[in-house]
Amino acid sequence: MRTPFLAGNWKMHKTVSEATALAREIVAGATGSGNRIMVAPPFTALAAVGAIVKGSPVRLGAQNMAGELSGAHTGETSVLMLKDLGVEYVILGHSERRHVYGESDELVNRKVKLALERGMQTILCVGETLEEREADSVESVVAAQLAGGLDGVEEASLGQVTIAYEPVWAIGTGKTATPDDANAVHRFIRDWFAKHYSAKAADAMCIQYGGSVKPDNVRDLMAMEHIDGALVGGASLDADSFLAIATYNKE
Ligand code: PEP
């Protein structure tokens, strides 16, 4: 039984005061679902939001981290600095990092391994562009991103890994993959883990869907056999909409 995992990626939104107000509202409403819930504010608000979510059911995540531990890397943030702030999760390989900032599978892999070595939970994002979907290469693209991102990662570390399947054409566009289409890719991802690791690892793997998840489509997506959670962008910026998603199964 995989615990539903609903995560909010606030991207480059929210000043510290806006982020703390949002975090307070989310903490107040996040109890009682039994779900795993995480928010990833911008770096500037991590400390303040961390103080608010501490001791609550809401976990603290970062949106990115450096591929190196320390040194001359202007503008980068080390896993050590994130851990120091109480960050437990890091989102890696988000499509905006891959497609806007040119992150390669090799760089994503370095970040994943460093995060895992240092005891961080990672959310590894994979997903195809519209051109790749139209060219019928969804499975080959996703398989290459999984193989690249997880190169050298042992099965013993997979308990720290969540996969977020985020078709690039569905992110921030209002277009969602149908639950059946998303589930088919999630099933492919689970089978990939069975083939490259083990049936046990595949069964335990938490696979989130991301791409215009909203309060009105979350239940249909979460009803699918292989969809274990959601990585939410736009709808995580408002407490009511994020809580409707994060506690979608609350009685
Ligand atoms: C995301 O940024 O990971 C995302 C899925 O965004 P949105 O929910 O806005 O599509």
Side-chain angles (χ1 to χ4, degrees), residues 9 11 91 94-96 125 166 170-175 209-214 231-236:
N9 171 12
K11 307 194 185 190
I91 300 168
H94 189 278
S95 69
E96 287 148 20
C125 303
E166 300 205 304
I171 297 179
T173 60
K175 292 183 194 153
Y209 170 78
S212 300
V213 176
K214 308 281 179 218
L231 181 55
V232 186
S236 72

PDB file of all heavy atoms in Angstrom, residues 9 11 91 94-96 125 166 170-175 209-214 231-236, ligand 1:
ATOM      1  N   ASN A   9       4.833  22.757  -5.548  1.00  0.00           N
ATOM      2  CA  ASN A   9       6.050  23.433  -6.012  1.00  0.00           C
ATOM      3  C   ASN A   9       5.685  24.892  -6.258  1.00  0.00           C
ATOM      4  O   ASN A   9       4.977  25.199  -7.217  1.00  0.00           O
ATOM      5  CB  ASN A   9       6.533  22.740  -7.300  1.00  0.00           C
ATOM      6  CG  ASN A   9       7.659  23.496  -7.972  1.00  0.00           C
ATOM      7  OD1 ASN A   9       8.248  24.413  -7.397  1.00  0.00           O
ATOM      8  ND2 ASN A   9       7.964  23.115  -9.207  1.00  0.00           N
ATOM      9  N   LYS A  11       7.549  27.284  -7.098  1.00  0.00           N
ATOM     10  CA  LYS A  11       8.379  27.917  -8.148  1.00  0.00           C
ATOM     11  C   LYS A  11       8.877  29.291  -7.680  1.00  0.00           C
ATOM     12  O   LYS A  11       9.155  29.472  -6.505  1.00  0.00           O
ATOM     13  CB  LYS A  11       7.601  28.004  -9.469  1.00  0.00           C
ATOM     14  CG  LYS A  11       7.035  26.657  -9.883  1.00  0.00           C
ATOM     15  CD  LYS A  11       6.573  26.642 -11.311  1.00  0.00           C
ATOM     16  CE  LYS A  11       5.908  25.311 -11.601  1.00  0.00           C
ATOM     17  NZ  LYS A  11       5.636  25.117 -13.018  1.00  0.00           N
ATOM     18  N   ILE A  91      13.340  18.542  -5.188  1.00  0.00           N
ATOM     19  CA  ILE A  91      12.826  18.256  -6.538  1.00  0.00           C
ATOM     20  C   ILE A  91      14.006  18.378  -7.502  1.00  0.00           C
ATOM     21  O   ILE A  91      14.689  19.410  -7.524  1.00  0.00           O
ATOM     22  CB  ILE A  91      11.732  19.287  -6.922  1.00  0.00           C
ATOM     23  CG1 ILE A  91      10.556  19.232  -5.939  1.00  0.00           C
ATOM     24  CG2 ILE A  91      11.251  19.054  -8.359  1.00  0.00           C
ATOM     25  CD1 ILE A  91       9.564  20.407  -6.074  1.00  0.00           C
ATOM     26  N   HIS A  94      13.364  18.926 -12.731  1.00  0.00           N
ATOM     27  CA  HIS A  94      12.090  19.520 -13.171  1.00  0.00           C
ATOM     28  C   HIS A  94      12.246  19.988 -14.619  1.00  0.00           C
ATOM     29  O   HIS A  94      13.320  20.429 -15.027  1.00  0.00           O
ATOM     30  CB  HIS A  94      11.712  20.698 -12.262  1.00  0.00           C
ATOM     31  CG  HIS A  94      10.332  21.198 -12.514  1.00  0.00           C
ATOM     32  ND1 HIS A  94      10.036  22.069 -13.534  1.00  0.00           N
ATOM     33  CD2 HIS A  94       9.150  20.927 -11.899  1.00  0.00           C
ATOM     34  CE1 HIS A  94       8.737  22.313 -13.537  1.00  0.00           C
ATOM     35  NE2 HIS A  94       8.181  21.633 -12.556  1.00  0.00           N
ATOM     36  N   SER A  95      11.172  19.923 -15.396  1.00  0.00           N
ATOM     37  CA  SER A  95      11.291  20.248 -16.832  1.00  0.00           C
ATOM     38  C   SER A  95      11.777  21.676 -17.045  1.00  0.00           C
ATOM     39  O   SER A  95      12.446  21.967 -18.035  1.00  0.00           O
ATOM     40  CB  SER A  95       9.974  20.012 -17.549  1.00  0.00           C
ATOM     41  OG  SER A  95       9.027  20.959 -17.131  1.00  0.00           O
ATOM     42  N   GLU A  96      11.438  22.588 -16.108  1.00  0.00           N
ATOM     43  CA  GLU A  96      11.943  23.960 -16.284  1.00  0.00           C
ATOM     44  C   GLU A  96      13.452  24.007 -16.102  1.00  0.00           C
ATOM     45  O   GLU A  96      14.151  24.793 -16.743  1.00  0.00           O
ATOM     46  CB  GLU A  96      11.217  24.903 -15.314  1.00  0.00           C
ATOM     47  CG  GLU A  96       9.784  25.139 -15.779  1.00  0.00           C
ATOM     48  CD  GLU A  96       8.777  25.363 -14.674  1.00  0.00           C
ATOM     49  OE1 GLU A  96       9.159  25.712 -13.546  1.00  0.00           O
ATOM     50  OE2 GLU A  96       7.571  25.169 -14.946  1.00  0.00           O
ATOM     51  N   CYS A 125      11.992  14.257 -11.551  1.00  0.00           N
ATOM     52  CA  CYS A 125      10.951  14.548 -12.550  1.00  0.00           C
ATOM     53  C   CYS A 125      11.368  14.036 -13.923  1.00  0.00           C
ATOM     54  O   CYS A 125      12.521  14.221 -14.340  1.00  0.00           O
ATOM     55  CB  CYS A 125      10.720  16.048 -12.653  1.00  0.00           C
ATOM     56  SG  CYS A 125      10.261  16.822 -11.102  1.00  0.00           S
ATOM     57  N   GLU A 166       5.817  14.135 -15.356  1.00  0.00           N
ATOM     58  CA  GLU A 166       5.239  15.431 -15.707  1.00  0.00           C
ATOM     59  C   GLU A 166       5.389  15.677 -17.203  1.00  0.00           C
ATOM     60  O   GLU A 166       6.441  16.154 -17.655  1.00  0.00           O
ATOM     61  CB  GLU A 166       5.961  16.548 -14.950  1.00  0.00           C
ATOM     62  CG  GLU A 166       5.887  16.424 -13.441  1.00  0.00           C
ATOM     63  CD  GLU A 166       6.049  17.772 -12.767  1.00  0.00           C
ATOM     64  OE1 GLU A 166       7.054  18.452 -13.002  1.00  0.00           O
ATOM     65  OE2 GLU A 166       5.128  18.154 -12.044  1.00  0.00           O
ATOM     66  N   ALA A 170       1.827  19.570 -20.376  1.00  0.00           N
ATOM     67  CA  ALA A 170       0.711  19.717 -19.422  1.00  0.00           C
ATOM     68  C   ALA A 170       1.069  20.636 -18.257  1.00  0.00           C
ATOM     69  O   ALA A 170       0.218  20.927 -17.419  1.00  0.00           O
ATOM     70  CB  ALA A 170       0.307  18.341 -18.894  1.00  0.00           C
ATOM     71  N   ILE A 171       2.320  21.097 -18.203  1.00  0.00           N
ATOM     72  CA  ILE A 171       2.744  21.909 -17.055  1.00  0.00           C
ATOM     73  C   ILE A 171       2.375  23.370 -17.268  1.00  0.00           C
ATOM     74  O   ILE A 171       2.838  23.999 -18.220  1.00  0.00           O
ATOM     75  CB  ILE A 171       4.264  21.758 -16.804  1.00  0.00           C
ATOM     76  CG1 ILE A 171       4.583  20.308 -16.431  1.00  0.00           C
ATOM     77  CG2 ILE A 171       4.716  22.715 -15.722  1.00  0.00           C
ATOM     78  CD1 ILE A 171       6.051  20.043 -16.186  1.00  0.00           C
ATOM     79  N   GLY A 172       1.524  23.871 -16.382  1.00  0.00           N
ATOM     80  CA  GLY A 172       1.149  25.282 -16.410  1.00  0.00           C
ATOM     81  C   GLY A 172       0.297  25.671 -17.605  1.00  0.00           C
ATOM     82  O   GLY A 172       0.091  26.851 -17.882  1.00  0.00           O
ATOM     83  N   THR A 173      -0.221  24.699 -18.333  1.00  0.00           N
ATOM     84  CA  THR A 173      -0.968  24.995 -19.566  1.00  0.00           C
ATOM     85  C   THR A 173      -2.468  24.801 -19.406  1.00  0.00           C
ATOM     86  O   THR A 173      -3.233  25.191 -20.276  1.00  0.00           O
ATOM     87  CB  THR A 173      -0.510  24.037 -20.691  1.00  0.00           C
ATOM     88  OG1 THR A 173      -0.765  22.685 -20.261  1.00  0.00           O
ATOM     89  CG2 THR A 173       0.953  24.210 -21.004  1.00  0.00           C
ATOM     90  N   GLY A 174      -2.860  24.150 -18.316  1.00  0.00           N
ATOM     91  CA  GLY A 174      -4.271  23.824 -18.151  1.00  0.00           C
ATOM     92  C   GLY A 174      -4.641  22.530 -18.859  1.00  0.00           C
ATOM     93  O   GLY A 174      -5.763  22.044 -18.736  1.00  0.00           O
ATOM     94  N   LYS A 175      -3.688  21.970 -19.646  1.00  0.00           N
ATOM     95  CA  LYS A 175      -3.963  20.684 -20.318  1.00  0.00           C
ATOM     96  C   LYS A 175      -3.477  19.574 -19.417  1.00  0.00           C
ATOM     97  O   LYS A 175      -2.311  19.570 -19.011  1.00  0.00           O
ATOM     98  CB  LYS A 175      -3.172  20.591 -21.625  1.00  0.00           C
ATOM     99  CG  LYS A 175      -3.602  21.528 -22.690  1.00  0.00           C
ATOM    100  CD  LYS A 175      -2.765  21.264 -23.944  1.00  0.00           C
ATOM    101  CE  LYS A 175      -2.928  22.416 -24.915  1.00  0.00           C
ATOM    102  NZ  LYS A 175      -1.778  22.594 -25.788  1.00  0.00           N
ATOM    103  N   TYR A 209       1.970  12.190 -10.443  1.00  0.00           N
ATOM    104  CA  TYR A 209       1.662  12.810 -11.723  1.00  0.00           C
ATOM    105  C   TYR A 209       1.741  14.331 -11.535  1.00  0.00           C
ATOM    106  O   TYR A 209       1.342  14.857 -10.482  1.00  0.00           O
ATOM    107  CB  TYR A 209       0.250  12.424 -12.211  1.00  0.00           C
ATOM    108  CG  TYR A 209      -0.138  13.261 -13.405  1.00  0.00           C
ATOM    109  CD1 TYR A 209       0.377  12.960 -14.657  1.00  0.00           C
ATOM    110  CD2 TYR A 209      -0.934  14.397 -13.257  1.00  0.00           C
ATOM    111  CE1 TYR A 209       0.093  13.761 -15.746  1.00  0.00           C
ATOM    112  CE2 TYR A 209      -1.220  15.208 -14.340  1.00  0.00           C
ATOM    113  CZ  TYR A 209      -0.694  14.884 -15.579  1.00  0.00           C
ATOM    114  OH  TYR A 209      -0.959  15.702 -16.656  1.00  0.00           O
ATOM    115  N   GLY A 210       2.250  15.026 -12.518  1.00  0.00           N
ATOM    116  CA  GLY A 210       2.269  16.486 -12.466  1.00  0.00           C
ATOM    117  C   GLY A 210       1.912  17.074 -13.809  1.00  0.00           C
ATOM    118  O   GLY A 210       2.349  16.566 -14.860  1.00  0.00           O
ATOM    119  N   GLY A 211       1.125  18.132 -13.791  1.00  0.00           N
ATOM    120  CA  GLY A 211       0.723  18.792 -15.034  1.00  0.00           C
ATOM    121  C   GLY A 211      -0.710  19.237 -14.913  1.00  0.00           C
ATOM    122  O   GLY A 211      -1.634  18.460 -15.161  1.00  0.00           O
ATOM    123  N   SER A 212      -0.890  20.498 -14.442  1.00  0.00           N
ATOM    124  CA  SER A 212      -2.227  21.093 -14.312  1.00  0.00           C
ATOM    125  C   SER A 212      -3.156  20.261 -13.427  1.00  0.00           C
ATOM    126  O   SER A 212      -4.347  20.115 -13.734  1.00  0.00           O
ATOM    127  CB  SER A 212      -2.844  21.351 -15.689  1.00  0.00           C
ATOM    128  OG  SER A 212      -2.028  22.248 -16.429  1.00  0.00           O
ATOM    129  N   VAL A 213      -2.620  19.718 -12.335  1.00  0.00           N
ATOM    130  CA  VAL A 213      -3.484  19.050 -11.347  1.00  0.00           C
ATOM    131  C   VAL A 213      -4.251  20.129 -10.589  1.00  0.00           C
ATOM    132  O   VAL A 213      -3.674  21.138 -10.159  1.00  0.00           O
ATOM    133  CB  VAL A 213      -2.671  18.176 -10.363  1.00  0.00           C
ATOM    134  CG1 VAL A 213      -3.579  17.575  -9.298  1.00  0.00           C
ATOM    135  CG2 VAL A 213      -1.931  17.074 -11.119  1.00  0.00           C
ATOM    136  N   LYS A 214      -5.547  19.934 -10.453  1.00  0.00           N
ATOM    137  CA  LYS A 214      -6.441  20.923  -9.821  1.00  0.00           C
ATOM    138  C   LYS A 214      -7.392  20.167  -8.893  1.00  0.00           C
ATOM    139  O   LYS A 214      -7.523  18.940  -8.994  1.00  0.00           O
ATOM    140  CB  LYS A 214      -7.289  21.643 -10.884  1.00  0.00           C
ATOM    141  CG  LYS A 214      -6.505  22.239 -12.038  1.00  0.00           C
ATOM    142  CD  LYS A 214      -5.853  23.562 -11.676  1.00  0.00           C
ATOM    143  CE  LYS A 214      -5.062  24.110 -12.865  1.00  0.00           C
ATOM    144  NZ  LYS A 214      -3.820  24.748 -12.554  1.00  0.00           N
ATOM    145  N   LEU A 231       2.438  16.198  -8.127  1.00  0.00           N
ATOM    146  CA  LEU A 231       3.332  17.340  -7.945  1.00  0.00           C
ATOM    147  C   LEU A 231       2.593  18.516  -8.588  1.00  0.00           C
ATOM    148  O   LEU A 231       2.284  18.484  -9.778  1.00  0.00           O
ATOM    149  CB  LEU A 231       4.688  17.082  -8.615  1.00  0.00           C
ATOM    150  CG  LEU A 231       5.742  18.186  -8.483  1.00  0.00           C
ATOM    151  CD1 LEU A 231       6.007  18.550  -7.021  1.00  0.00           C
ATOM    152  CD2 LEU A 231       7.064  17.754  -9.139  1.00  0.00           C
ATOM    153  N   VAL A 232       2.298  19.502  -7.754  1.00  0.00           N
ATOM    154  CA  VAL A 232       1.359  20.551  -8.150  1.00  0.00           C
ATOM    155  C   VAL A 232       2.062  21.896  -8.218  1.00  0.00           C
ATOM    156  O   VAL A 232       2.712  22.303  -7.247  1.00  0.00           O
ATOM    157  CB  VAL A 232       0.208  20.630  -7.107  1.00  0.00           C
ATOM    158  CG1 VAL A 232      -0.866  21.608  -7.572  1.00  0.00           C
ATOM    159  CG2 VAL A 232      -0.386  19.256  -6.826  1.00  0.00           C
ATOM    160  N   GLY A 233       1.930  22.588  -9.339  1.00  0.00           N
ATOM    161  CA  GLY A 233       2.508  23.916  -9.469  1.00  0.00           C
ATOM    162  C   GLY A 233       1.480  24.983  -9.146  1.00  0.00           C
ATOM    163  O   GLY A 233       1.233  25.308  -7.983  1.00  0.00           O
ATOM    164  N   GLY A 234       0.820  25.511 -10.176  1.00  0.00           N
ATOM    165  CA  GLY A 234      -0.090  26.651 -10.024  1.00  0.00           C
ATOM    166  C   GLY A 234      -1.111  26.509  -8.903  1.00  0.00           C
ATOM    167  O   GLY A 234      -1.312  27.441  -8.115  1.00  0.00           O
ATOM    168  N   ALA A 235      -1.730  25.336  -8.790  1.00  0.00           N
ATOM    169  CA  ALA A 235      -2.792  25.161  -7.794  1.00  0.00           C
ATOM    170  C   ALA A 235      -2.244  25.017  -6.370  1.00  0.00           C
ATOM    171  O   ALA A 235      -3.026  24.902  -5.425  1.00  0.00           O
ATOM    172  CB  ALA A 235      -3.663  23.956  -8.161  1.00  0.00           C
ATOM    173  N   SER A 236      -0.913  25.032  -6.221  1.00  0.00           N
ATOM    174  CA  SER A 236      -0.369  24.952  -4.852  1.00  0.00           C
ATOM    175  C   SER A 236      -0.127  26.340  -4.268  1.00  0.00           C
ATOM    176  O   SER A 236       0.286  26.472  -3.112  1.00  0.00           O
ATOM    177  CB  SER A 236       0.948  24.159  -4.842  1.00  0.00           C
ATOM    178  OG  SER A 236       1.998  24.894  -5.437  1.00  0.00           O
TER     179      SER A 236
HETATM  180  C1  PEP B   1       4.963  21.704 -11.944  1.00  0.00           C
HETATM  181  O1  PEP B   1       5.483  22.788 -11.937  1.00  0.00           O
HETATM  182  O2  PEP B   1       5.621  20.715 -11.597  1.00  0.00           O
HETATM  183  C2  PEP B   1       3.571  21.620 -12.378  1.00  0.00           C
HETATM  184  C3  PEP B   1       3.054  20.431 -12.538  1.00  0.00           C
HETATM  185  O3  PEP B   1       2.906  22.797 -12.601  1.00  0.00           O
HETATM  186  P1  PEP B   1       1.306  22.982 -12.860  1.00  0.00           P
HETATM  187  O4  PEP B   1       0.607  22.206 -11.789  1.00  0.00           O
HETATM  188  O5  PEP B   1       1.094  24.454 -12.755  1.00  0.00           O
HETATM  189  O6  PEP B   1       1.031  22.431 -14.209  1.00  0.00           O
END
